[in-house]
Amino acid sequence: MYKLYVKFTCLFFFIPFLARSNDFEWFNIKSKEYERINLNSRVLERKNHKGVWLKIEKLTFSNINLRDMPKSCMSRKFNFSGKYLFSVPGTSQVYILDKKSKSFTRIDETFYRGYNFNALQFIRNDTIFSLGGNGFWLTNNILTFFDFQTKEWSLVGNEHVKPLFGITSENAGLMKNKNEIISIVNTEEHLSNSSKLFELYLFNLNTRRWLKKGNINHSVFENLGLDSYNFILLDDLLLFNDPLQGYFADPQKNEIFKYTGTKKNFFNSNSKIYCENGWAYSVTQNNSKQFESTITDSLKLEDIKKNAVSIGKLYNSVQTGNSELFIYSIIGLIAVIILLKPLWRFYNSDIRLNKLFTQKYQKKLPKGGRLFIMHFKENGLENYLTTDELSNLLNNNKKAYDTQRQYRSHFICTMNDFFLENAEIKSAILRISLEDDKRFIKYGLKQEAIEFALKNNLI
């Protein structure tokens, strides 16, 4: 009886591990086959057209603990410097697959977060960014990037808080060859107005500002038989996929189209659509009693556009945009005149001109900076701050845990930027992993940063 109990106990503990769903699976457009990393056997595999997984090669796992991987979160794959980079939204985990060295490595040093499930993630300038996502019963529009030096995600400040209802990968995408993200979001009226209004926004990654393009009436989607405004971005086309019926929008032309070409089954509810190098690929899984098969078809995006008919407008333009631009232009012109006036008056006076430009650094430290530096001035550089102590110093220790993390990240970024810009000190704030648990960090300050602060009377 005791042996039987032990067997059932072991089975109970091992079932979750054995039943783990594979998070690292993707479609290889070149080979027209699905590939995956089998986490249990540590093997790179491919699925043939009969639905059978075949071994490609054995992989070496580095810095990976399978217990840290959630069972239900799907990873996102990106091509990165000749390798595959994987991010697992909601966890902050980042992995790299190097086929040449046959290695699979976790490169981040974060631990489970849980605030950005289903976030829009993308590569820009060899950096992976994450925008929005949901968690803790909220959908947000927080923009972060993965820092390969600190091996952590850092906050990027948004200059404008709108849209108010957050972003997910289902309703947003990065426009091709542009520094803009396009998104369809719920408006405030959606909470109280039964007509269900939505807004079309563009987010400029350079200025980090949201620009409203117009309003969308939900009846547009209802008339087309669409259940939501979710879409897949095919370069600059919004392909609506709930359900997938061949309806797409061109936001530059402000029109919705219906594909009417010869490939009638290209867009169907059982297909997954992928896009690369101006081509769209439709992948359909067919299950039969004998085997599972994969059917792949392809279309040029230009052919999709040519073989389509216009259905109507996507959105109603914002009428106030031009008047606002005119007002801002007038204000800007006045500001330029005011700024140029003293320069013109002082043109022949080097002494007076120098007064305008001699300030090489900001006199004011970022919020919380003075207290942070004073801690190390009074207690010594070896007295590092824990995360809790830093939150107390920044006076946000009563906020939600993830909010505290965002405040700390923003503080560290602004302090490092301050010293880099004004004193050419790189990474002025030190991040040191605890010896007994590498997941936790303590914070320090470089000696030259304190010297610069004292020399310039910043504390």
Side-chain angles (χ1 to χ4, degrees), residues 140-168:
N140 64 78
N141 60 9
I142 297 172
L143 179 63
T144 59
F145 73 96
F146 182 73
D147 191 327
F148 285 91
Q149 293 184 346
T150 63
K151 299 181 180 180
E152 291 184 344
W153 291 84
S154 297
L155 180 69
V156 180
N158 291 0
E159 298 297 327
H160 203 284
V161 296
K162 284 190 175 182
L164 301 177
F165 282 82
I167 300 299
T168 70

Side-chain angles (χ1 to χ4, degrees), residues 16-64:
F17 177 77
L18 295 173
R20 177 185 298 276
S21 61
N22 200 296
D23 303 326
F24 299 88
E25 182 178 322
W26 63 96
F27 183 74
N28 189 321
I29 290 178
K30 291 183 179 180
S31 65
K32 306 295 187 298
E33 292 178 324
Y34 278 99
E35 295 180 349
R36 74 177 182 184
I37 298 172
N38 191 318
L39 298 177
N40 294 329
S41 63
R42 303 191 176 193
V43 170
L44 178 63
E45 300 175 333
R46 65 178 178 84
K47 183 191 285 187
N48 66 14
H49 295 291
K50 293 185 177 182
V52 179
W53 286 102
L54 303 175
K55 176 181 176 181
I56 299 178
E57 55 195 6
K58 188 76 174 179
L59 297 175
T60 300
F61 280 26
S62 300
N63 196 33
I64 292 177

Side-chain angles (χ1 to χ4, degrees), residues 204-223:
N204 189 299
L205 290 167
N206 290 331
T207 62
R208 300 195 301 278
R209 292 184 65 88
W210 291 99
L211 173 65
K212 181 179 176 179
K213 297 292 291 183
N215 298 317
I216 302 175
N217 196 307
H218 185 66
S219 61
V220 173
F221 299 106
E222 287 182 331
N223 294 336

Side-chain angles (χ1 to χ4, degrees), residues 305-365:
K305 294 178 184 179
K306 291 178 182 177
N307 296 285
V309 294
S310 177
I311 302 297
K313 280 190 175 182
L314 172 64
Y315 61 89
N316 297 318
S317 301
V318 180
Q319 299 298 324
T320 58
N322 292 331
S323 60
E324 289 179 356
L325 180 61
F326 177 76
I327 294 172
Y328 288 144
S329 299
I330 295 297
I331 294 174
L333 181 61
I334 295 172
V336 169
I337 294 173
I338 294 173
L339 289 172
L340 288 179
K341 187 176 180 180
L343 294 181
W344 182 267
R345 181 156 43 101
F346 297 152
Y347 181 75
N348 294 319
S349 176
D350 291 338
I351 297 176
R352 291 181 179 179
L353 277 175
N354 286 336
K355 289 182 179 179
L356 295 176
F357 300 106
T358 49
Q359 186 172 335
K360 296 182 180 179
Y361 58 88
Q362 303 176 27
K363 283 290 185 181
K364 190 175 181 181
L365 285 164

Side-chain angles (χ1 to χ4, degrees), residues 123-391:
I123 296 285
R124 180 174 179 265
N125 297 333
D126 293 329
T127 303
I128 181 171
F129 289 85
S130 180
L131 176 64
N134 42 51
F136 303 108
W137 304 278
L138 294 172
T139 303
N140 64 78
N141 60 9
I142 297 172
L143 179 63
T144 59
F145 73 96
F146 182 73
D147 191 327
F148 285 91
Q149 293 184 346
T150 63
K151 299 181 180 180
E152 291 184 344
W153 291 84
S154 297
L155 180 69
V156 180
N158 291 0
E159 298 297 327
H160 203 284
V161 296
K162 284 190 175 182
L164 301 177
F165 282 82
I167 300 299
T168 70
S169 60
E170 295 177 340
N171 60 17
L174 179 66
M175 305 283 280
K176 184 184 179 182
N177 300 327
K178 295 182 180 179
N179 291 319
E180 290 181 325
I181 290 171
I182 189 167
S183 181
I184 299 176
V185 298
N186 302 74
T187 64
E188 292 179 281
E189 288 86 351
H190 178 71
L191 296 178
S192 57
N193 193 336
S194 59
S195 62
K196 295 184 178 180
L197 294 176
F198 302 97
E199 292 178 341
L200 182 71
Y201 271 92
L202 290 177
F203 179 65
N204 189 299
L205 290 167
N206 290 331
T207 62
R208 300 195 301 278
R209 292 184 65 88
W210 291 99
L211 173 65
K212 181 179 176 179
K213 297 292 291 183
N215 298 317
I216 302 175
N217 196 307
H218 185 66
S219 61
V220 173
F221 299 106
E222 287 182 331
N223 294 336
L224 299 178
L226 298 170
D227 294 331
S228 73
Y229 52 88
N230 293 348
F231 64 85
I232 304 169
L233 195 61
L234 305 180
D235 286 356
D236 290 341
L237 300 180
L238 280 62
L239 177 64
F240 299 108
N241 62 336
D242 189 18
L244 192 63
Q245 302 178 81
Y247 291 108
F248 65 91
D250 187 336
Q252 295 179 343
K253 295 181 178 180
N254 188 18
E255 284 188 88
I256 298 177
F257 297 89
K258 166 73 173 178
Y259 173 73
T260 57
T262 57
K263 296 188 177 183
K264 303 297 182 182
N265 293 324
F266 193 87
F267 300 106
N268 66 79
S269 57
N270 296 321
S271 297
K272 290 185 178 180
I273 305 297
Y274 301 91
C275 181
E276 187 172 295
N277 298 326
W279 284 80
Y281 297 87
S282 175
V283 182
T284 305
Q285 300 276 15
N286 282 346
N287 297 311
S288 65
K289 294 182 179 179
Q290 288 78 21
F291 55 83
E292 173 189 310
S293 63
T294 302
I295 301 174
T296 305
D297 202 354
S298 59
L299 269 173
K300 281 187 177 181
L301 295 183
E302 289 301 320
D303 290 338
I304 295 176
K305 294 178 184 179
K306 291 178 182 177
N307 296 285
V309 294
S310 177
I311 302 297
K313 280 190 175 182
L314 172 64
Y315 61 89
N316 297 318
S317 301
V318 180
Q319 299 298 324
T320 58
N322 292 331
S323 60
E324 289 179 356
L325 180 61
F326 177 76
I327 294 172
Y328 288 144
S329 299
I330 295 297
I331 294 174
L333 181 61
I334 295 172
V336 169
I337 294 173
I338 294 173
L339 289 172
L340 288 179
K341 187 176 180 180
L343 294 181
W344 182 267
R345 181 156 43 101
F346 297 152
Y347 181 75
N348 294 319
S349 176
D350 291 338
I351 297 176
R352 291 181 179 179
L353 277 175
N354 286 336
K355 289 182 179 179
L356 295 176
F357 300 106
T358 49
Q359 186 172 335
K360 296 182 180 179
Y361 58 88
Q362 303 176 27
K363 283 290 185 181
K364 190 175 181 181
L365 285 164
K367 185 178 180 180
R370 183 179 180 278
L371 291 176
F372 184 82
I373 297 175
M374 286 297 297
H375 167 81
F376 294 100
K377 178 179 178 294
E378 296 174 354
N379 301 296
L381 292 175
E382 68 281 359
N383 284 279
Y384 301 114
L385 287 170
T386 64
T387 53
D388 289 339
E389 290 171 339
L390 180 57
S391 293

Side-chain angles (χ1 to χ4, degrees), residues 23 74-78 85-89 117-121 128 169:
D23 303 326
M74 299 301 294
S75 64
R76 307 277 172 80
K77 181 189 74 70
F78 305 93
L85 184 146
F86 295 88
S87 172
V88 186
F117 291 99
N118 205 26
L120 174 66
Q121 298 190 326
I128 181 171
S169 60

